Amino acid sequence: MRAKRSDVSRRRFVQGTIVGGVGLGAPALGSSSASAEAATGAAEHPGEATAPFDFTTGSAALQPDRTVATACQFCNSNCRLNVDLKADRVIAVRGEDEDPVQAGGLCVKAGLMPELVYNQDRLTRPLRRVSGRKGSPDSKFEPISWDEALETIAARFLRLRDSGQAHTIANRTTGRLPRGTGSLVARMFAMLGSPNNTDVGPVCNDAGGDALAMTFGLGNFTNGYGVDPATGGQDLGSARYLLFLGTNQAETHPVTFEHLLRERRRTGARLTVVDPRLTPTGTQADRWVAPKPHTDFALALALLHHIVTNDLHDQAFVDRWVTGFPELRNHLVKHGYTPAWAAGVTGVPEETITAIAEEYATAKPAAIFCNAGVSHQLGAFDTYRVLAFLAAVTGNIGVPGGGCNFMHNTWPGDLHLPPLKARVPDLTTALPVGPDYFAESILTERPYKLRAVVTQGNPLVSSANSGRVRQAFEQLEFYVYTGLFMEEAAYYADVILPVCSGLEFEGVYMRRDDRGIRWQDQVVPRVGESKPDWEIWIGLAQALAELDRKRPPTDWTDAFPTSWLDYRNLWREFVTHTPAMGGMGEQRLRARREPLRWPCPDDGHPGVSTLYLDHPTWYRATEVLTGKQGRRFLTPSGKIEITTPELEARLATAGHSALPMFYTHPEVTGGHPTVRLGRTFVPNPINPQALTHPAALGVPGNGRVHRDFPLMGMTGRPSVVHFASVTHWTHTGKQLNGVRLIQIHPRAARRAGVADGDTVRVESPRGAVTGTTLLWEGIREDTVFVPNTFGPAQRVGDAFGDPRYEPANTLADDGFYDNLSGQQAYKCFACRVVKA
C-alpha cells in the first residue's frame, strides 16, 4: 500500500502553543495549519502578505521584559525553548530559528511546559503518610520539613544496612531527571551496599543500546540530525532510504522528523514504515507495511536472508570490518529464514519483503530507525542485533545518512564523578534487570525481598501487569515517591518529595537521540518548596552523615559536597571525569543555538555526528575513550562482531546465541516458536552485575489463549499531545486528548458487536481496561491499539468529564520479558473487546 503524502506536516498541524507570538491559553489543533495554508494561498496573489499578522507587536502588556533560553523536557527532539516573560510570568514559548534542525519549530507539547509550573495540582511540600491503606485514594498525608523527610529516609536506609539488608533497598530512575542525577544515586547505593540502582530503560528502550554495544562497541544512536562537522554535509538528512520499524516519529519526535522530511524533499529518499497500524508517520511513507505485532524479528531475519543469499551485501566492507559473516550466512540458510517463511509469520507478502530488502541494500546510504515498537517485544535484544547486522553487511554503518538509529539511548550514560575515597562494601547480585521485577521480589521473595524503594517515575502506570504491581506496592514496607503531582504511585508512599519542573532549574536536562545536549537556564522560581532531583540526593547524603554511626560523617560529606548543589559545579565534575566529554563545558553549551554532540573530547573538537566514521575527528574521540589509537569499532576485536566464540559463550549462559534464532510472544496468533523462562537464576550476560532467568528458545506455541481472547492488543502513545503520564496533569493535555480512544478495525468491531464511539472494555488474561472505540481501517484486523499513560489518579480531566482509566499495562504479562535487556513486552497481549 502506498500512502498518500501530505504537504502539511504533522508538526505544523499540531503546533498551536503560540498565538500571534504569545501563548494565550489552550491551543486549538488546526490553528497553525490554517495559518500556514493562508500564507501559502497569499503567496499566490502578488502584493498580499505571506505571513499571519501579529497583533501582539506594540502591545505594552505583551512585550516581554526578558527572554530565557531553556530546553523542552518532553520528547527526544530536545527543542530549544525561548521563553518570554512579563512581570516574571511566562507569556510565550518560541522555538529556535537559528538551529537548522529545529528551524524554529515546536510541537504542541512545548506549551505544556508552563502548565507544569502554573498548576493547582502541584506538590509543593514534603509529605508523610499518617493514615489509610496503601494505595487507597483516602490515604492521608501531612506536610513535614525537608530535614524531617530526608532524616526519615536516611534512618530507614541505615537500619536496613545495619541489619545486613542493604541489598533490599532499590531505586528506579526515570527519563525526566536532570542529567547526572543517576550518577549521584549510583554513588549513594555503592556506599550503602545495594546493587539495586535501576533505571527506566527496561520499560523504555534499553535493548537497542545493549545490542549496539555488543555489535559495534558503543550503545548509542549511531548518526546525527543536521550537518556532520566532519564532512560538512548533512548526516541523516543525506539518507537515500529510510527504514522505520516500530517508530511513529510524527507523534514521538515531531520536530526531528520534520527535519528528515524537509531533507527528503531534497534527496528524494524513499520512506518505508513498518507498523501494525497506520500512524501519522505512515501517512508520509512511500510504503506502509503492517506485520502482526511482535513479529519484526522474523521480518528482519528475512530481509537479511534475502540480502546475503542474493549477494546484495557490501563484500568489500564485510571483508575489512565484519567478523562472523560466513557463520551468519550459513545460519540464515540452515534455519530457512526466507521471505516466504517470514510472510507466513508476519502476514506481510513475500514480494513486499524482498522489495524492501533490495531497496535497502541498493540505496546508498540507508538508515534504520526504531523505537518502542521494537523495544517492547519479548525478543527485543535479538531483533535489534539482527537489524544491526543488516546495517553492517550492507556497509551502512560509519557513514553519514546510514546507521542504526535506535531511539532513547540514554546519553552520555554513566556520567563520572571523582573516585570515591570512602570504603565501599562488596555488593550482592542485583535483581533481574528491569524495575518491573520489583513486584516479583516483593510478592515472592525470590531471590530476596525488597523492603525499601524510591522511584522517580510512576510504576503503577508504566509497569506491566499493573494489577500485580499494585499488590506488591501495597505490601512494600517503605516507599518514597518523588514527583510533581499526586500520581497513582504517590498513594502508596510513606514519604512524598516534591520536585521541580523543567523550567525551574538550570543545567542539562533531556537529550536528543543523536547524543546532542543543550544547556538550559532557569526560567521561573521554584514552586513552593520543590527541589531538583540532584539536590534531593545530596541532601539525603547530608542526612546520612548526621545519622550514620558506622561511617565518619566526612565519608558522606566528601562524597556529596554541598558545592554540587550548584549544578554548574556538578557539571564541571562530569566534564572533567567522563571520557570524551572534555569539550562540553557549560560556557560552550550556553553559547550554542543547536545541541553539541558527544563524543567531544576537547574544546577544539566539533563533536561526533556519525559514530564509526573513518575520519580523524572520530579517531581522536576513540583515542580518549579507549586509550588506544586507530580504533574504528570499539569491540574487543576492533571490528563489527556478528559472532565470535567469546560472544557465543557469553550469551549461551542465558539461553541465547550470538546468531539469533526466531521466537516470539506466546500470545501472537499462529502458534509460532516462543520462549520459556526458567525458575532458576543465572548471571545476566549483558548486565553481569544482575541476575536473570535462563531462557529456553523455540518452545512450540499452542495458541490456546486465543480461544477466549482472539485478538492481539498493543499499547502506545495516545497522540503527539502526550509524553508519559506527566502531560495528563496539564489542562491542555486533557482538553486535547483526555479520552482513551481504542483503535479497532471496523470488521473486528462488527464481530465484537461494538460501534464507533461505544464505551468498551478490553479484556486480557491479566485484567481489563475501558475506553472509547475508534474505528480505524488503518490497523490490522486482528489487532487492537490501546493508548497507554492514562491512570485513575488523573483528576485534571474531571473538568472536561473525562473518565478515570485503569492503566493500559494492566493487560500485559509481566511474566514474559526479554531476559537479556529486561525489556517488557507491551506490544502483544491476547485480548477481546466487549461493550461495556
Side-chain angles (χ1 to χ4, degrees):
M1 172 180 177
R2 185 185 294 268
K4 182 179 179 181
R5 190 179 301 172
S6 170
D7 289 328
V8 179
S9 76
R10 181 64 181 166
R11 178 181 64 81
R12 296 212 182 279
F13 178 68
V14 299
Q15 185 179 7
T17 57
I18 303 169
V19 180
V22 179
L24 297 174
L29 274 175
S31 58
S32 291
S33 175
S35 297
E37 290 170 1
T40 301
E44 298 172 359
H45 301 282
E48 295 188 18
T50 59
F53 291 105
D54 180 359
F55 294 119
T56 64
T57 301
S59 168
L62 296 178
Q63 292 304 298
D65 299 325
R66 58 192 177 96
T67 298
V68 179
T70 185
C72 187
Q73 79 165 59
F74 296 120
C75 84
N76 283 31
S77 292
N78 194 17
C79 294
R80 180 165 173 153
L81 305 182
N82 291 303
V83 182
D84 292 334
L85 296 107
K86 187 75 169 183
D88 292 327
R89 299 292 185 271
V90 176
I91 61 171
V93 179
R94 297 178 290 103
E96 177 54 67
D97 294 331
E98 295 183 32
D99 179 341
V101 172
Q102 188 178 355
L106 294 173
C107 85
V108 66
K109 289 187 291 294
L112 306 188
M113 288 283 287
E115 293 191 34
L116 298 181
V117 179
Y118 307 124
N119 193 305
Q120 64 182 10
D121 291 310
R122 274 288 295 274
L123 290 167
T124 60
R125 296 184 63 184
L127 304 172
R128 70 176 166 200
R129 174 178 295 278
V130 294
S131 67
R133 177 179 55 84
K134 284 196 171 187
S136 169
D138 297 324
S139 298
K140 302 297 182 186
F141 299 88
E142 66 178 7
I144 54 176
S145 69
W146 270 103
D147 285 346
E148 192 171 1
L150 295 176
E151 287 168 5
T152 300
I153 300 167
R156 180 61 67 109
F157 282 6
L158 291 173
R159 193 181 314 151
L160 288 169
R161 184 203 66 181
D162 293 346
S163 63
Q165 297 290 306
H167 60 288
T168 69
I169 306 169
N171 181 75
R172 171 185 174 177
T173 60
T174 181
R176 71 159 174 78
L177 292 178
R179 295 301 94 196
T181 303
S183 301
L184 294 170
V185 181
R187 197 175 183 85
M188 180 172 291
F189 272 57
M191 291 180 66
L192 287 169
S194 173
N196 288 308
N197 170 35
T198 71
D199 65 24
V200 74
V203 297
C204 194
N205 283 275
D206 261 6
D210 291 338
L212 291 172
M214 178 167 283
T215 311
F216 305 124
L218 286 178
N220 298 92
F221 198 95
T222 60
N223 289 64
Y225 298 105
V227 172
D228 184 341
T231 66
Q234 286 288 332
D235 189 347
L236 286 171
S238 67
R240 305 302 300 231
Y241 193 78
L242 301 164
L243 177 58
F244 281 32
L245 299 101
T247 177
N248 176 19
Q249 288 195 46
E251 294 189 310
T252 62
H253 297 68
V255 174
T256 49
F257 182 55
E258 181 164 317
H259 161 72
L260 293 179
L261 295 182
R262 289 196 306 269
E263 295 304 318
R264 178 185 175 214
R265 287 174 177 169
R266 177 180 59 83
T267 63
R270 288 183 61 81
L271 170 61
T272 292
V273 172
V274 179
D275 197 307
R277 65 189 182 102
L278 182 62
T279 64
T281 305
T283 65
Q284 298 287 342
D286 297 288
R287 178 189 287 112
W288 165 53
V289 180
K292 281 186 181 181
H294 240 88
T295 62
D296 298 83
F297 193 178
L299 178 63
L301 285 165
L303 295 174
L304 197 57
H305 183 285
H306 187 75
I307 288 169
V308 303
T309 58
N310 288 277
D311 295 326
L312 298 175
H313 58 285
D314 186 333
Q315 189 66 53
F317 184 85
V318 167
D319 289 343
R320 184 176 182 189
W321 294 112
V322 178
T323 182
F325 178 78
E327 294 88 342
L328 172 65
R329 184 187 180 113
N330 292 339
H331 173 79
L332 294 168
V333 172
K334 174 184 176 182
H335 290 280
Y337 292 140
T338 65
W341 162 80
V345 176
T346 64
V348 176
E350 177 183 358
E351 57 270 23
T352 300
I353 298 173
T354 58
I356 296 171
E358 291 171 7
E359 289 168 2
Y360 176 79
T362 57
K364 297 287 186 177
I368 302 173
F369 290 81
C370 302
N371 201 345
V374 172
S375 298
H376 294 172
Q377 296 190 30
L378 182 58
F381 173 82
D382 286 328
T383 303
Y384 276 125
R385 279 270 287 164
V386 174
L387 291 170
F389 300 164
L390 196 64
V393 302
T394 56
N396 277 306
I397 200 73
V399 294
C404 296
N405 303 290
F406 302 158
M407 304 295 179
H408 290 279
N409 294 184
T410 300
W411 178 89
D414 183 17
L415 289 167
H416 294 184
L417 292 165
L420 276 170
K421 298 177 181 178
R423 175 184 54 83
V424 176
D426 294 333
L427 298 180
T428 58
T429 308
L431 294 176
V433 173
D436 286 1
Y437 204 86
F438 285 10
E440 178 75 11
S441 168
I442 295 164
L443 292 172
T444 70
E445 302 187 23
R446 297 185 66 250
Y448 49 81
K449 183 176 183 177
L450 286 182
R451 301 184 181 280
V453 173
V454 184
T455 70
Q456 293 80 44
N458 185 2
L460 274 298
V461 165
S462 64
S463 297
N465 200 352
S466 305
R468 191 165 184 268
V469 176
R470 181 181 298 158
Q471 295 172 13
F473 275 73
E474 287 173 354
Q475 298 180 24
L476 180 59
E477 295 175 17
F478 185 70
Y479 174 44
V480 180
Y481 167 80
T482 71
L484 292 163
F485 304 105
M486 282 294 294
E487 296 184 283
E488 292 73 17
Y491 291 95
Y492 294 80
D494 297 281
V495 177
I496 296 172
L497 303 179
V499 301
C500 294
S501 74
L503 298 186
E504 297 166 49
F505 56 81
E506 75 167 337
V508 171
Y509 196 73
M510 292 297 283
R511 70 283 185 202
R512 204 162 70 186
D513 289 300
D514 63 352
R515 297 161 275 110
I517 63 166
R518 300 182 187 273
W519 190 268
Q520 67 172 63
D521 283 322
Q522 182 174 344
V523 177
V524 294
R526 299 175 184 179
V527 171
E529 297 177 17
S530 62
K531 292 179 182 287
D533 293 86
W534 78 87
E535 288 191 15
I536 293 174
W537 289 94
I538 293 171
L540 181 56
Q542 306 306 311
L544 287 164
E546 290 285 335
L547 300 179
D548 196 344
R549 298 294 174 261
K550 291 192 173 181
R551 283 186 180 274
T554 52
D555 273 12
W556 292 107
T557 56
D558 288 349
F560 296 86
T562 54
S563 62
W564 291 356
L565 294 172
D566 184 334
Y567 191 87
R568 292 169 293 183
N569 294 330
L570 182 60
W571 185 254
R572 196 173 299 117
E573 296 286 0
F574 291 143
V575 170
T576 300
H577 294 94
T578 304
M581 248 183 80
M584 306 190 79
E586 173 198 347
Q587 295 307 314
R588 188 177 184 188
L589 293 178
R590 279 184 183 278
R592 293 178 63 88
R593 300 285 185 171
E594 56 184 311
L596 180 62
R597 299 185 193 93
W598 178 88
C600 183
D602 54 66
D603 286 334
H605 195 283
V608 173
S609 182
T610 307
L611 295 182
Y612 317 113
L613 182 68
D614 191 6
H615 190 275
T617 55
W618 169 241
Y619 291 118
R620 168 64 185 135
T622 63
E623 183 180 355
V624 175
L625 284 168
T626 66
K628 300 177 181 179
Q629 293 183 342
R631 301 275 290 184
R632 184 173 184 185
F633 296 98
L634 307 188
T635 57
S637 67
K639 294 184 176 182
I640 297 169
E641 296 189 348
I642 291 177
T643 182
T644 66
E646 294 77 15
L647 283 181
E648 190 63 41
R650 178 178 165 189
L651 289 169
T653 61
H656 290 259
S657 169
L659 296 171
M661 294 184 294
F662 175 72
Y663 56 96
T664 190
H665 198 287
E667 296 183 9
V668 173
T669 58
H672 305 292
T674 184
V675 62
R676 182 176 59 245
L677 296 178
R679 296 278 294 169
T680 59
F681 295 98
V682 296
N684 187 319
I686 303 300
N687 298 278
Q689 80 286 355
L691 297 170
T692 192
H693 294 294
L697 304 182
V699 176
N702 56 49
R704 283 193 295 267
V705 68
H706 293 292
R707 297 172 188 171
D708 296 319
F709 302 94
L711 298 171
M712 291 176 289
M714 52 188 289
T715 67
R717 186 173 300 200
S719 72
V720 71
V721 172
H722 286 300
F723 180 81
S725 60
V726 66
T727 49
H728 288 274
W729 290 84
T730 65
H731 182 91
T732 299
K734 280 301 191 187
Q735 174 189 331
L736 296 179
N737 192 188
V739 175
R740 178 152 60 197
L741 298 172
I742 294 173
Q743 296 178 22
I744 183 170
H745 195 279
R747 287 192 289 273
R750 281 197 298 271
R751 288 194 295 271
V754 299
D756 195 41
D758 279 351
T759 300
V760 295
R761 191 168 62 251
V762 181
E763 300 175 341
S764 84
R766 271 71 56 187
V769 304
T770 58
T772 298
T773 52
L774 173 61
L775 300 193
W776 186 240
E777 291 188 356
I779 190 168
R780 289 181 56 95
E781 195 171 333
D782 54 8
T783 302
V784 176
F785 176 73
V786 184
N788 58 19
T789 70
F790 291 90
Q794 293 164 3
R795 58 185 179 229
V796 179
D798 295 353
F800 307 102
D802 294 340
R804 302 275 194 100
Y805 297 108
E806 286 297 302
N809 291 330
T810 298
L811 303 168
D813 191 344
D814 61 337
F816 288 97
Y817 67 99
D818 181 353
N819 70 323
L820 296 174
S821 67
Q823 209 76 69
Q824 296 297 301
Y826 301 116
K827 295 306 180 187
C828 188
F829 47 85
C831 66
R832 62 191 174 211
V833 178
V834 298
K835 195 169 183 178

